Amino acid sequence: MLDFARARQRMVERQVAARGVHDSSVLEAMGEVPREAFVPSGMEEFAYEDSPLPIEADQTISQPFIVGLMIEAARVRPGERVLEVGAGSGYAAAVMSRIAEDVYAIERHEELTRLAQGRLDRLGYHNVHLKTGDGTRGWPEAAPFEAILAAAGGPAVPAALQAQLAIGGRLVMPVGAEPRRQRLIKMTRTSEDQFAVEDLGEVVFVPLIGDEGWASETPARPPMPEPRSFREPARPVSLPEMIRAAAEPLPELHDPAFGALIDRFAQAKVVLLGEASHGTSEFYRARAAITRRLVETHGFRIVAVEADWPDAAHIDRYVRGVPAPRHDEPPFRRFPTWMWRNTDVEAFIEGLREWNLARPAADRCGFYGLDLYNLSASIRAVLDYLDRVDPAAGRIARSRYACLTPWAKEPQTYGRLALSSGYRACEEGVIKTLRELLENRMEYARADGERFLDAEGNARLVKNAEAYYRAMYYGSAESWNLRDTHMFETLCSLLDAKGPDARAVVWAHNSHIGDASKTEMGIEREELNIGQLCRERFGLDAALIGFGTHSGTVACAEDWDEPMQVRRVSPSLEDSYERMAHDAGVSRFLLDLRDGVHDPLRVRLLSPRLERFIGVIYRPETERWSHYAACSLPQQFDAYVWFDETHAVTPLVTRARAGAEDTYPFGL
Ligand code: SAM
């Protein structure tokens, strides 16, 4: 659930004020107008993105910063009459209407005028007057205007607009000899026939079409203007050429040489392996090959993945040949099942089991879950454990967990109810249960250290999941941060439990393992992640490896809890990191992004570009807004593994496999 008011405040602070728009009336007005009401239905969740967005009639609503910059530059003041050419969604006119006496706004597309009128009426912004027409002629009946803004770029400032500007009035407009690249010009009318002109810098706007503008929109669909910081001047050697020169082609996935390419990171304490979607076979197989190498050749004994602790515990028991508790439920029954129940994961765990069983129990590699969704299984596991080792403590824990158990299968409901103070009571009990378990570590673990570690992982999951579901109702950043902090705590407790020389391989999505502080997530939304926390804790002993692809197919769902489907992955967006990698023309490669390896390329890659993130949900219909975010790739990752074309994972049928000794680990 999005907290629009909070997103709006953050937009004003970080995107507008922080970039130098200081006029308090502009900031207040932008803080008041609900931008989500001015975007097409279905796009509301993107309304506070730091970029323009598509609107109806193939037009755009301008980037928030540009709206603020233009209104500030035009010095719009109370009591004044303002003209806007290019009303589009009506957003900028709405913002100005909170400051000025009257706003007159002209839009050439009838459809847009109608939609804008509806929005303004609903909001009760009655001092905006809209009409459909050619704005290059101005609105003579309402002139003169103290301020005129044009939200589309023309070859020159139309004479009609100059004539309708009051003496002392300010006009702000993008002007350029090309329809799609302009300078933002500010013109102040100093007398009847004199104008002072200032250049406010380069901008990219849609063209102003009309008598005193461009003749037509050619090509038919104007490009989406980009935030200014995303652009880069042309240089003689292209970025794809530089990537091609630095790319280390990868052998076939089954070739042992594949994993060996990561040997350069084998000294690290934690190697984090990402993925650019939750349903791509190549990413799973590549991580499996690298992990095998790290385990078999370099002594890594922890594989920790973005799966729930109690579910991964099944796999752990299977790969290490430890018997399962009697009433254990089959793992990974919850959405999205294909993320772990797929043929690539199965092949990996069968291989790990075979390798493990050929060596002493103490030297086997474990498989652990870092995620926190399976609250009910973890509650059951903690209670089972305590009932066995300390029945009195089990009784206390049962009464403490009782306020959570009604919601354990549907914790989202708990989150909603937890907003009322009565349910906060659960918080104390789950914290105490974990604390007391840890206080009794010596005594409990003496009987069975492995079982204790499992119970500790489950008790930590219950404690952090309680906070996670409660936070979900306050805002997405808190709950995201709680989840990634939980992953990090769990990883650290595993490393601690396995001794000072313990080393771990982590499998999680790029959004968890690429340093969030070098991406839009961290910079704009204050989200952190396990990759960032590992870097902060382990420094160069954390290796962050990202994965990417251009096109192919992916296993995904259209929405949460919907069935899995295989969808085509749209070719990556122009100018994104993925498109640069695709244009390098190498089908599979590793790019070493560490300082001092390919410095000229690294420098070229530093300035932020869009990068694609597909999770379990894939919505190609809103591709740019649902799946791309600005990142600085060489700061986010130490290396990047590229597969130009990728394929969906094959899900496992959820039934017992013939010939398997029991229903482990993937049977029903
Ligand atoms: N200020 C708008 C907003 O907040 O949504 C952004 C508008 S968009 C960047 C520019 C708009 O100018 C488009 O909707 C386009 O149709 C319109 N436009 C282009 N030429 C025009 C003209 N001669 N008269 C009126 N509108 C025009």
Side-chain angles (χ1 to χ4, degrees):
M1 193 186 307
L2 275 176
D3 182 345
F4 286 121
R6 196 152 155 205
R8 190 176 314 127
Q9 221 36 59
R10 199 173 296 158
M11 169 197 86
V12 170
E13 284 162 22
R14 306 218 179 135
Q15 301 174 27
V16 187
R19 290 201 182 115
V21 173
H22 297 310
D23 185 329
S24 58
S25 57
V26 178
L27 300 177
E28 272 167 36
M30 293 187 78
E32 178 186 336
V33 177
R35 189 169 157 91
E36 69 275 13
F38 290 85
V39 298
S41 128
M43 295 290 285
E44 292 85 351
E45 63 180 299
F46 310 116
Y48 294 96
E49 296 280 313
D50 187 15
S51 60
L53 291 176
I55 58 171
E56 299 79 3
D58 269 352
Q59 299 300 318
T60 57
I61 172 171
S62 304
Q63 181 190 13
F65 166 63
I66 287 288
V67 173
L69 177 79
M70 289 179 76
I71 301 176
E72 180 180 68
R75 280 203 290 112
V76 174
R77 290 282 169 268
E80 291 187 344
R81 182 175 276 228
V82 180
L83 174 69
E84 188 192 25
V85 176
S89 67
Y91 174 70
V95 173
M96 291 190 284
S97 78
R98 303 302 83 202
I99 308 171
E101 185 73 21
D102 280 293
V103 178
Y104 293 80
I106 312 171
E107 170 54 52
R108 66 185 278 268
H109 289 285
E110 170 73 46
E111 180 192 0
L112 294 183
T113 315
R114 189 172 38 76
L115 288 165
Q117 189 69 64
R119 291 166 180 145
L120 294 162
D121 288 346
R122 273 193 295 283
L123 289 166
Y125 292 179
H126 300 302
N127 59 340
V128 182
H129 315 279
L130 278 177
K131 74 171 181 184
T132 305
D134 176 6
T136 65
R137 297 180 190 166
W139 194 321
E141 306 78 31
F145 301 99
E146 277 84 18
I148 299 180
L149 277 83
V157 179
L161 298 186
Q162 297 189 38
Q164 290 171 30
L165 193 61
I167 294 178
R170 293 81 47 196
L171 178 151
V172 177
M173 173 178 167
V175 177
E178 290 173 52
R180 323 216 174 279
R181 182 150 286 201
Q182 307 96 4
R183 314 279 316 171
L184 192 62
I185 297 298
K186 174 175 176 181
M187 228 180 194
T188 307
R189 187 166 193 174
T190 51
S191 69
E192 189 58 44
D193 50 7
Q194 281 184 317
F195 294 85
V197 178
E198 283 169 65
D199 181 346
L200 304 181
E202 192 182 84
V203 283
V204 182
F205 272 81
V206 296
L208 180 73
I209 315 288
D211 282 357
E212 290 196 55
W214 299 100
S216 68
E217 297 184 41
T218 44
R221 196 186 171 91
M224 188 76 69
E226 293 167 8
R228 293 197 283 179
S229 55
F230 291 176
R231 266 181 283 116
E232 210 177 291
R235 294 198 183 94
V237 182
S238 76
L239 196 42
E241 279 166 349
M242 293 178 80
I243 294 176
R244 182 164 50 240
E248 299 172 50
L250 288 168
E252 294 287 340
L253 278 159
H254 57 259
D255 186 332
F258 189 98
L261 271 163
I262 300 292
D263 282 356
R264 71 196 79 189
F265 297 109
Q267 296 315 310
K269 187 158 182 75
V270 283
V271 174
L272 297 99
L273 304 174
E275 59 179 346
S277 92
H278 279 316
T280 303
S281 175
E282 284 77 359
F283 299 152
Y284 281 94
R285 285 186 286 148
R287 295 187 299 181
I290 295 166
T291 305
R292 259 198 307 277
R293 175 83 181 179
L294 292 173
V295 170
E296 295 176 11
T297 312
H298 299 291
F300 284 67
R301 292 291 180 267
I302 297 169
V303 177
V305 306
E306 186 188 340
D308 284 325
W309 178 275
D311 298 73
H314 285 251
I315 309 288
D316 179 51
R317 290 190 280 266
Y318 181 69
V319 295
R320 291 193 300 123
V322 178
R326 214 151 30 91
H327 297 298
D328 232 0
E329 275 181 17
F332 303 120
R333 305 281 295 280
R334 301 162 63 255
F335 180 88
T337 50
W338 68 90
M339 206 173 136
W340 296 108
R341 282 174 175 264
N342 66 56
T343 53
D344 299 320
V345 171
E346 183 184 43
F348 171 69
I349 64 173
E350 291 298 344
L352 186 58
R353 175 177 158 92
E354 195 184 317
W355 186 83
N356 268 343
L357 296 189
R359 46 204 315 110
D363 194 29
R364 292 177 186 169
C365 174
F367 186 94
Y368 305 92
L370 299 175
D371 223 333
L372 49 55
Y373 291 111
N374 200 347
L375 186 56
S376 61
S378 284
I379 288 180
R380 216 172 31 251
V382 175
L383 297 178
D384 282 354
Y385 176 76
L386 287 174
D387 285 349
R388 212 172 33 242
V389 300
D390 186 348
R395 275 193 297 280
I396 296 172
R398 187 166 275 104
S399 72
R400 284 178 183 153
Y401 282 171
C403 75
L404 271 181
T405 35
W407 321 109
K409 293 262 182 220
E410 267 184 274
Q412 295 83 347
T413 321
Y414 165 73
R416 204 173 320 125
L417 291 170
L419 286 180
S420 65
S421 57
Y423 284 93
R424 244 198 123 95
C426 297
E427 186 184 1
E428 204 185 317
V430 295
I431 293 174
K432 273 193 180 155
T433 305
L434 174 63
R435 195 190 311 133
E436 288 169 15
L437 191 77
L438 293 173
E439 281 166 5
N440 286 314
R441 180 194 297 266
M442 296 297 268
E443 191 193 327
Y444 292 169
R446 204 178 305 128
D448 187 340
E450 288 292 336
R451 286 264 155 96
F452 176 81
L453 182 64
D454 185 47
E456 178 192 335
N458 283 306
R460 177 174 298 104
L461 188 152
V462 177
K463 175 189 106 67
N464 289 340
E466 189 277 335
Y468 171 81
Y469 285 110
R470 202 156 23 84
M472 259 176 45
Y473 281 82
Y474 291 108
S476 57
E478 274 100 333
S479 52
W480 173 275
N481 290 349
L482 279 166
R483 185 174 163 216
D484 272 60
T485 307
H486 167 78
M487 291 195 198
F488 180 65
E489 270 179 25
T490 307
L491 176 67
C492 291
S493 84
L494 279 169
L495 288 165
D496 285 348
K498 304 281 177 187
D501 297 329
R503 291 186 297 149
V505 190
V506 174
W507 292 18
H509 194 271
N510 281 351
S511 54
H512 293 294
I513 70 108
D515 185 341
S517 68
K518 309 299 182 221
T519 72
E520 201 176 299
M521 289 168 61
I523 296 166
E524 286 196 18
R525 299 199 291 275
E526 287 183 346
E527 288 170 352
L528 46 75
N529 64 11
I530 184 169
Q532 176 185 345
L533 295 170
C534 281
R535 261 200 188 155
E536 286 167 10
R537 170 76 59 92
F538 304 115
L540 293 175
D541 277 336
L544 278 45
I545 301 172
F547 288 68
T549 186
H550 171 65
S551 64
T553 56
V554 66
C556 58
E558 264 178 51
D559 227 323
W560 202 256
D561 278 336
E562 296 282 319
M564 189 209 100
Q565 40 176 291
V566 173
R567 300 193 86 169
R568 283 219 70 76
V569 176
S570 313
S572 56
L573 285 187
E574 219 173 294
D575 275 349
S576 61
Y577 280 117
E578 285 84 355
R579 183 56 74 89
M580 298 296 119
H582 169 71
D583 288 347
V586 184
S587 63
R588 288 192 302 273
F589 64 78
L590 174 91
L591 202 57
D592 195 327
L593 295 168
R594 289 171 301 168
D595 241 344
V597 181
H598 301 292
D599 279 345
L601 170 64
R602 196 170 184 278
V603 169
R604 284 286 296 276
L605 287 171
L606 275 177
S607 51
R609 282 178 181 276
L610 294 180
E611 178 184 322
R612 177 158 55 192
F613 296 83
I614 300 175
V616 289
I617 312 291
Y618 181 44
R619 296 199 181 116
E621 310 76 36
T622 48
E623 176 96 11
R624 156 68 182 90
W625 315 105
S626 299
H627 299 295
Y628 281 86
C631 304
S632 173
L633 192 84
Q635 294 182 292
Q636 189 188 4
F637 299 118
D638 297 301
Y640 190 55
V641 177
W642 179 254
F643 292 93
D644 201 59
E645 188 174 357
T646 46
H647 303 87
V649 290
T650 306
L652 286 175
V653 181
T654 49
R655 59 175 161 68
R657 284 169 301 146
E661 53 194 0
D662 52 18
T663 58
Y664 241 28
F666 284 128
L668 258 184

